[in-house]
Amino acid sequence: MRNRVQVPLPPPFSQIPRHPILYSDPSPIHSLPALSHQCTGSRASTPAHAHSQPGPRISIFAKREDQGASLACAGNKYRKLEYIVPDILSSSPAYHYHESHPTHQPLPGPATILVTEGALQSNHTVQVAALARKLGLKALVLLNRDTGGGYKSTPSPETFLQVGNPQINRLLGAEIRMYDAHDPEATDAQPVLDELRLSGHRPYWIPGGASRHPLGGLGYARAAFEIVTQENEIQLGGSGRFDYVFVSCGSGSTVAGLVAGFKLLEKMQLCVGNDLTVHAGFPAPRQIIGILNSPTRPREWHEERVLRFARKAGKLIGLSDVNKEITMEDVHLDDQFVGKGYGVIDDETRKAMSTLAEIEAVILDPVYTAKVAAGMIHWARTEAMDRYAQQHGLQEVNVLFIHTGGQAVLPAYFDQNLMRSTESG
């Protein structure tokens, strides 16, 4: 049974409307002892550590966002959607528009259909479709065959179109429209929204990953406060908190929300127990590491995007001067594990999936979480965490892996070898 943990938020953050989709108690955090032992022990055998003093103990934990809600295919998008639902259900939704056609005209009544976009195996589209059914609304999802390389690299493209998340979208009763890069919907869904309006609907547009939505970063800003309350319950060693937090960076607002939330906590110098109180000796800033999952854009493009999203969320939750309080120094993205394409499996992805399954019985997905795990394991075996521990006088470094879900895509990869390659060990 999960511990009941209240998540106290300061105003104005606490005053922002939120519609609960997640369970009333936080998504669980549990230790990964076998992986922790493996990462701690293996460091001595790497060239970087061969002639150095023993490094700190690495203690790895997982926050299970894939177990955070009762709706279909639970994952990180439900947390983002919680702050969007109040606008969807309002008598005159304000943020319903497509980002390329901004309008200040609210809908003339509550939304009747949710419209969103994504890659063929998009987790986000499933979570939007599930939310729509739960709210008694219709759902239309636009799926792009050319996003990433999963569809192009599979030996069974027709199966890839049918199983996994597209199958679940159909079970949820969502209307699915598939298109290619040359189709108009690939860059502008406004004609689809216009079509729906002409047919009598009041469509509400939710951009891919909900990141470009004005409220898209709030869910993971709240998650930062949630993580801090759970730290107090877990009674961590070392610094008593998570020194490193690893999470996927795709559309950007998950890592951006965490940056904004932890920045507000840092500014307030909070120590969270049963209440919010001032702590004079608040430790050094946490290392929030976003692992990029696609090589489509350069790292610098993603960094600018995350910074923009973090500042937008920071302004809403109460940071007074976001341009000074959140800077590029707060954005840490790693592009070493993007592989050959979005949704394309490589040896590092296979190895991470096999490792977590074999030693911890934790199932990852090949698009997001396996790449995050690969990056996290790499960081745990390099000198970066040694330097962090030495700088702050720590014998133990606490690491949090945010598992954002996505396992429903596995059937689409049934014809590809998901086991670790013989070359990578």
Side-chain angles (χ1 to χ4, degrees):
M1 180 180 294
R2 301 178 190 169
N3 293 326
R4 292 281 177 174
V5 178
Q6 297 298 317
V7 182
L9 301 175
F13 196 178
S14 60
Q15 299 164 342
I16 301 174
R18 168 178 164 264
H19 179 92
I21 302 172
L22 306 179
Y23 291 121
S24 58
D25 45 337
S27 62
I29 292 178
H30 63 82
S31 65
L32 299 175
L35 183 63
S36 300
H37 178 75
Q38 186 181 96
C39 287
T40 300
S42 67
R43 296 158 77 253
S45 63
T46 62
H49 296 85
H51 303 291
S52 61
Q53 295 296 319
R57 169 188 166 88
I58 307 297
S59 295
I60 303 176
F61 294 75
K63 183 166 176 62
R64 301 301 298 270
E65 296 290 83
D66 62 323
Q67 298 177 6
S70 64
L71 302 185
C73 303
N76 62 320
K77 304 306 187 295
Y78 285 129
R79 190 180 288 276
K80 299 182 184 184
L81 293 169
E82 286 193 317
Y83 280 97
I84 299 176
V85 172
D87 189 52
I88 293 171
L89 298 179
S90 72
S91 59
S92 53
Y95 303 120
H96 60 91
Y97 49 84
H98 191 277
E99 56 273 14
S100 64
H101 298 269
T103 175
H104 298 290
Q105 296 297 320
L107 283 180
T112 60
I113 183 170
L114 303 185
V115 186
T116 194
E117 64 181 346
L120 281 176
Q121 291 294 335
S122 165
N123 306 313
H124 165 78
T125 61
V126 165
Q127 291 173 51
V128 169
L131 173 64
R133 307 316 296 177
K134 192 68 173 179
L135 298 177
L137 307 176
K138 294 183 179 296
L140 169 61
V141 298
L142 306 173
L143 301 180
N144 191 338
R145 295 185 185 89
D146 292 330
T147 298
Y151 174 64
K152 295 178 180 178
S153 64
T154 178
S156 304
E158 288 305 313
T159 302
F160 199 89
L161 292 172
Q162 298 297 324
V163 301
N165 282 325
Q167 181 181 28
I168 297 171
N169 269 318
R170 293 186 181 93
L171 282 171
L172 292 167
E175 179 185 347
I176 297 176
R177 299 187 187 180
M178 295 186 181
Y179 57 93
D180 301 311
H182 64 271
D183 294 328
E185 292 89 347
T187 56
D188 187 1
Q190 188 61 37
V192 175
L193 302 178
D194 292 339
E195 169 198 328
L196 291 168
R197 290 191 185 97
L198 289 173
S199 67
H201 276 295
R202 293 188 293 273
Y204 194 103
W205 171 251
I206 301 176
S211 290
R212 295 190 305 276
H213 191 283
L215 305 175
L218 294 178
Y220 273 87
R222 183 178 185 274
F225 281 78
E226 182 175 297
I227 289 167
V228 172
T229 64
Q230 290 176 288
E231 285 173 336
N232 189 63
E233 295 290 322
I234 296 170
Q235 298 181 339
L236 297 166
S239 66
R241 61 164 201 169
F242 293 114
D243 306 294
Y244 283 81
V245 179
F246 289 89
V247 66
S248 176
C249 184
S251 58
S253 65
T254 298
V255 64
L258 289 169
V259 168
F262 281 123
K263 181 60 68 170
L264 180 58
L265 283 160
E266 176 189 335
K267 179 185 178 182
M268 298 174 68
Q269 294 186 313
L270 295 178
C271 178
V272 181
N274 294 324
D275 199 355
L276 297 181
T277 55
V278 175
H279 188 292
F282 196 79
R286 302 164 191 269
Q287 304 297 300
I288 314 301
I289 312 297
I291 303 296
L292 290 167
N293 57 46
S294 174
T296 306
R297 302 270 191 170
R299 188 187 72 250
E300 292 78 11
W301 183 90
H302 289 281
E303 289 172 340
E304 291 288 347
R305 182 181 172 98
V306 168
L307 178 62
R308 186 169 67 253
F309 291 159
R311 286 173 169 172
K312 182 184 296 184
K315 184 175 182 180
L316 290 173
I317 65 178
L319 292 174
S320 56
D321 190 353
V322 292
N323 289 339
K324 292 183 178 179
E325 292 168 313
I326 303 178
T327 70
M328 192 59 78
E329 292 183 357
D330 300 306
V331 178
H332 305 286
L333 303 184
D334 188 341
D335 61 356
Q336 298 178 78
F337 302 91
V338 295
K340 295 180 179 179
Y342 174 86
V344 178
I345 300 175
D346 58 12
D347 285 348
E348 291 289 346
T349 304
R350 291 186 181 93
K351 187 174 182 180
M353 291 186 71
S354 291
T355 297
L356 268 290
E358 291 169 6
I359 71 174
E360 294 287 2
V362 172
I363 304 303
L364 306 177
D365 82 289
V367 183
Y368 295 98
T369 56
K371 292 184 178 182
V372 177
M376 175 183 66
I377 292 169
H378 171 78
W379 276 68
R381 291 173 172 171
T382 61
E383 291 185 306
M385 292 190 184
D386 283 5
R387 291 192 297 269
Y388 183 91
Q390 292 170 4
Q391 181 181 357
H392 302 293
L394 300 175
Q395 297 299 313
E396 181 175 0
V397 175
N398 298 314
V399 176
L400 183 64
F401 161 55
I402 299 184
H403 191 321
T404 53
Q407 299 96 320
V409 307
L410 289 174
Y413 291 85
F414 79 98
D415 52 4
Q416 300 188 45
N417 182 15
L418 299 181
M419 304 298 290
R420 72 176 74 227
S421 72
T422 55
E423 293 182 0
S424 63

